Amino acid sequence: MAKKQEVKNMAIRVRFAPSPTGPLHIGGSRTALFNYLFAKKNKGKFVLRVEDTDKERSEQRWTDEILEELKWLGIEWDEGPDIGGNFGPYKQTQRLDIYKKYLEKLFDEEKAYYCFCLEEDLEAKRQDQMSRGLAPKYDGKCRNLSKQEVQKKMAAGEQSVIRFKIPDKKVKFADLIRGEIEFDAGLLGDIVVAKNLETPLYHFAVVVDDFEMKISHIIRGEEHLSNTSRQILIQQALEFYHPVYAHLPLMLNMDKSKMSKRQGDVALKDYHLQGYLPEALVNFMVLLGWNPGTEKEIFTLQQLTKEFSIDKVQKAGAVFNIQRLDFINGFYIREKAIEKLTEFCRPYLKEAGLLVQGQVSDSKLEKIVEVSRTRMKKLSDIVELADFFFKDKLVYDKDLLKWSTMQDAGVKEALLLCDKLLSDLKEWDIKEIEKVLMGGTGELNKQRGYPEKNRGFLLWPLRVALSGKQFSPSPFEIADILGREKTQKRIADAIKLFA
């Protein structure tokens, strides 16, 4: 009871502890976000810790990318490897002396031991246990070796690991999201906590770090739920307090399977590079498991820091619906100031080889982005939506020029009329362009016997001639941006298709 009281009276401190063995997973990004929001809502501290004890797979470039992507999202930490803090260092490879001290404590109190069992023997025993319907666990072969036997094996150069003695007991804890949870520790078997005194493994290092950094609440994904009993037992063995746990629901694919790297883009940077905005991703991710209790769907990060509550996080898995993300991202794209949106779109056009320096003025580029933004779901869409503005010659099927029941002769006549109407324009202005063309729809319909109010017989062929696409902005907007010369050249090119 005293230890529970100790946690209750602690300052709120949470942590996000990624492993730099690859890019930041979208699920990890959500975990970081929930920790950040919980800390902000409760006037606590958000700690960023790098768990890089896997020396073979950890790389500095992944650490750098993780930090960069979190900053891009707008998530800021109060302590971390780049800014320091009172409980550092914040990279596990810089904390090996701390872990060694606590490993030695376990040995001194006979709560850990060296295990010399070969991996192939352990695997054979696991297979045998499963074949008999038993839970696979270590059988404790090395648990009671004498000090003399251990020293002899060590001197002979036998490979070993350090195992923690798991007591045969029930482990109970209260989860803020899932309520009361109980595990039978007797099913676990003694677990490996270190390769040696200088090389701790995950379960041990994370327990020591959380204690040393005074972490009060551990908010993490549901996939870590089974780890909690092991970590609580290590906490008890080392006489540490127990942090409060909250396990977030799994993120699921549309078919309700768990999201994995084998099933498409799952790295935060993938979405960044595709042109999803950070505010859209934050908004989308928080709704994967959290329900505000209202119909509201659009939240800024600042609003979330006020409205977020761990009590409203659901237990059931959260489906990653890309259509919903596209909707939210499209909303934020339409809300952007055109100058800023154009700045965001420019790199995609350059990478596609469409935007050559000096070819298009800033004002014209802003017009191109403006007429394209309503159909943009992500920034990279600008390439497909607006490529025709930058091309000298368009390639498309001439049948695309036909509207409804039109035949070749009707299309040619419509384009010739457009050319005539636009040639007579004294001022090349979108309002004048629209006025003269709208007037021309009645003239064409009357000559051809088309329905009186159907404007498609004139405007559809023109729009396709100018864009080469089935879907595009209006012909008035396109002509205004292209200018007189380019507009009339594209009309002439379309007419030639019917020569």
Side-chain angles (χ1 to χ4, degrees):
M1 184 64 69
K3 289 178 182 176
K4 286 188 178 179
Q5 187 68 28
E6 182 182 351
V7 177
K8 186 176 180 180
N9 294 330
M10 286 176 64
I12 298 290
R13 288 176 59 82
V14 298
R15 47 76 165 174
F16 176 56
S19 297
T21 56
L24 179 60
H25 189 284
I26 192 77
S29 307
R30 184 192 62 164
T31 299
L33 174 62
F34 278 48
N35 275 279
Y36 171 82
L37 294 174
F38 182 83
K40 290 297 180 185
K41 178 66 180 288
N42 294 285
K43 295 181 172 53
K45 298 292 184 182
F46 174 51
V47 178
L48 180 64
R49 184 173 76 220
V50 177
E51 298 190 342
D52 59 346
T53 50
D54 187 345
K55 296 178 183 178
E56 293 179 0
R57 297 170 58 219
S58 296
E59 296 182 39
Q60 183 60 39
R61 67 181 177 117
W62 296 126
T63 297
D64 295 340
E65 182 176 306
I66 289 168
L67 269 60
E68 288 169 7
E69 292 301 307
L70 288 175
K71 288 177 182 176
W72 173 74
L73 276 181
I75 295 176
E76 299 176 348
W77 42 95
D78 301 292
E79 302 169 26
D82 57 333
I83 58 175
N86 295 329
F87 301 92
Y90 295 90
K91 295 179 73 173
Q92 288 185 332
T93 50
Q94 298 171 348
R95 301 173 60 81
L96 300 181
D97 288 344
I98 300 173
Y99 307 133
K100 184 177 181 180
K101 175 181 71 174
Y102 287 108
L103 283 170
E104 289 172 339
K105 175 179 169 65
L106 289 181
F107 273 113
D108 291 343
E109 297 175 3
E110 297 186 350
K111 295 174 181 176
Y113 60 93
Y114 284 103
C115 173
F116 299 89
C117 295
L118 298 175
E119 182 55 41
E120 51 264 36
D121 294 336
L122 293 173
E123 180 59 29
K125 289 178 182 179
R126 281 193 290 266
Q127 294 297 329
D128 176 63
Q129 289 170 330
M130 288 190 289
S131 70
R132 291 184 285 124
L134 302 175
K137 66 176 184 178
Y138 180 62
D139 62 3
K141 178 181 177 182
C142 296
R143 199 180 218 233
N144 298 311
L145 290 176
S146 66
K147 288 185 179 180
Q148 291 78 15
E149 288 176 296
V150 170
Q151 290 172 352
K152 183 178 178 180
K153 288 178 177 292
M154 289 282 200
E158 292 189 33
Q159 290 189 340
S160 64
V161 294
I162 298 173
R163 286 188 184 271
F164 169 65
K165 293 181 179 180
I166 295 284
D168 188 2
K169 60 187 286 189
K170 303 285 187 184
V171 178
K172 297 181 181 180
F173 68 96
D175 189 283
L176 291 180
I177 297 170
R178 298 169 190 285
E180 293 293 327
I181 295 178
E182 179 177 297
F183 284 100
D184 184 355
L187 299 175
L188 297 176
D190 295 345
I191 61 171
V192 179
V193 291
K195 293 181 180 179
N196 50 57
L197 289 175
E198 282 74 36
T199 313
L201 298 180
Y202 167 73
H203 287 300
F204 186 78
V206 72
V207 167
V208 171
D209 287 340
D210 289 337
F211 173 76
E212 287 279 328
M213 295 181 181
K214 300 190 184 303
I215 301 302
S216 64
H217 293 71
I218 296 175
I219 303 171
R220 57 188 181 183
E222 182 185 338
E223 63 272 17
H224 288 285
L225 189 59
S226 61
N227 295 333
T228 308
S229 59
R230 296 169 172 84
Q231 292 165 11
I232 287 177
L233 290 169
I234 296 172
Q235 291 163 5
Q236 292 173 348
L238 291 171
E239 299 179 315
F240 292 169
Y241 66 86
H242 305 325
V244 178
Y245 288 92
H247 288 89
L248 304 173
L250 290 174
M251 286 176 59
L252 307 175
N253 293 302
M254 290 296 289
D255 62 0
K256 303 298 178 70
S257 61
K258 182 182 175 183
M259 287 189 75
S260 70
K261 293 180 180 179
R262 294 184 297 275
Q263 293 173 295
D265 294 332
V266 294
L268 177 61
K269 191 165 186 177
D270 291 333
Y271 296 95
H272 183 173
L273 293 176
Q274 286 179 51
Y276 288 97
L277 298 171
E279 51 266 54
L281 277 164
V282 164
N283 197 146
F284 173 72
M285 287 191 296
V286 80
L287 295 174
L288 291 174
W290 176 76
N291 190 321
T294 66
E295 296 298 315
K296 186 175 179 181
E297 278 196 304
I298 303 299
F299 297 89
T300 64
L301 189 56
Q302 291 70 29
Q303 290 170 334
L304 287 171
T305 58
K306 296 178 181 178
E307 298 193 35
F308 180 79
S309 169
I310 200 76
D311 298 333
K312 293 180 179 178
V313 176
Q314 65 192 37
K315 297 178 185 178
V319 175
F320 191 101
N321 188 330
I322 193 68
Q323 285 77 28
R324 193 181 195 192
L325 174 56
D326 286 344
F327 166 78
I328 294 174
N329 201 57
F331 171 84
Y332 281 102
I333 283 175
R334 292 189 293 277
E335 291 292 301
K336 282 286 177 193
I338 189 59
E339 298 83 5
K340 181 62 69 173
L341 184 59
T342 302
E343 181 184 325
F344 288 158
C345 289
R346 191 185 292 270
Y348 294 96
L349 294 168
K350 283 185 176 179
E351 187 178 353
L354 296 173
L355 190 60
V356 179
Q357 190 170 6
Q359 182 188 41
V360 178
S361 66
D362 290 344
S363 60
K364 180 173 283 193
L365 186 57
E366 286 181 6
K367 280 187 176 183
I368 292 171
V369 173
E370 183 63 62
V371 299
S372 304
R373 76 151 89 201
T374 56
R375 290 182 304 285
M376 289 172 63
K377 296 176 181 177
K378 51 188 182 294
L379 298 176
S380 58
D381 290 345
I382 190 65
V383 174
E384 184 178 352
L385 292 172
D387 59 350
F388 62 90
F389 283 111
F390 304 91
K391 294 179 178 179
D392 290 327
K393 189 171 181 62
L394 304 180
V395 178
Y396 53 89
D397 188 332
K398 74 172 187 176
D399 286 339
L400 188 58
L401 291 156
K402 297 175 182 178
W403 170 256
S404 185
T405 59
M406 292 181 86
Q407 301 300 313
D408 288 7
V411 175
K412 185 175 181 180
E413 184 176 349
L415 292 171
L416 287 168
L417 178 57
C418 289
D419 187 52
K420 179 180 181 301
L421 293 170
L422 293 173
S423 295
D424 293 340
L425 270 182
K426 293 182 180 179
E427 184 179 353
W428 197 262
D429 172 79
I430 189 169
K431 291 181 179 178
E432 293 299 316
I433 294 170
E434 183 174 1
K435 180 180 177 181
V436 71
L437 289 173
M438 292 296 282
T441 60
E443 181 180 337
L444 178 69
N445 291 350
K446 185 175 181 180
Q447 290 175 359
R448 278 267 161 185
Y450 296 139
E452 184 180 346
K453 295 183 178 180
N454 195 320
R455 296 165 179 167
F457 290 100
L458 183 75
L459 300 183
W460 178 275
L462 175 61
R463 190 181 59 75
V464 173
L466 299 183
S467 68
K469 295 182 182 292
Q470 184 176 3
F471 304 106
S472 70
S474 74
F476 323 123
E477 294 170 314
I478 300 173
D480 176 54
I481 294 170
L482 288 177
R484 185 191 299 270
E485 182 181 347
K486 207 165 188 177
T487 295
Q488 293 194 288
K489 182 180 184 302
R490 291 192 178 181
I491 295 173
D493 289 341
I495 291 171
K496 288 177 185 177
L497 296 176
F498 297 92

